[in-house]
Amino acid sequence: MKKTYKNLLLLFIVVILIAVPILVIKDSEFAGSDSLAEEAIPESYTPWFSPLWEPPGGETETLIFTLQGAIGTGIIAYFLGYMKGKAKNANN
């Protein structure tokens, strides 16, 4: 099987995996795990400690969360590229 056909097949599978849940699950709300966890915590709960620093707003919190994800993705991509290059050089 040619590489182009493999890539098109994989792309088709990804599109199916994305589209099927959206079409099958009616009236669904996709909430984040943070909001679901906040709902599960009883009102009588008192936190053990307060954070040392709180971001000044929700946008800053989102920025820091996104930056953390981007840095993690960069580290994983670098490691995968490094290992692929190392394997390629070992074969030559």
Side-chain angles (χ1 to χ4, degrees):
M1 186 182 270
K2 288 185 176 181
K3 191 173 184 178
T4 304
Y5 293 122
K6 285 183 182 178
N7 289 337
L8 287 175
L9 180 64
L10 288 174
L11 181 64
F12 179 73
I13 291 171
V14 167
V15 169
I16 294 297
L17 288 174
I18 292 171
V20 166
I22 293 172
L23 297 175
V24 171
I25 302 171
K26 301 290 182 191
D27 298 328
S28 62
E29 286 190 31
F30 297 104
S33 60
D34 288 344
S35 61
L36 292 176
E38 284 181 10
E39 292 174 4
I41 296 173
E43 291 184 23
S44 61
Y45 174 76
T46 55
W48 295 357
F49 59 93
S50 61
L52 298 175
W53 178 76
E54 289 192 29
E59 297 296 327
T60 305
E61 187 175 342
T62 303
L63 172 70
I64 292 172
F65 183 74
T66 305
L67 186 62
Q68 176 187 2
I71 290 172
T73 303
I75 290 171
I76 291 171
Y78 175 79
F79 176 74
L80 291 175
Y82 176 78
M83 294 305 289
K84 184 176 181 178
K86 189 176 177 181
K88 185 177 179 181
N89 287 337
N91 291 336
N92 290 334

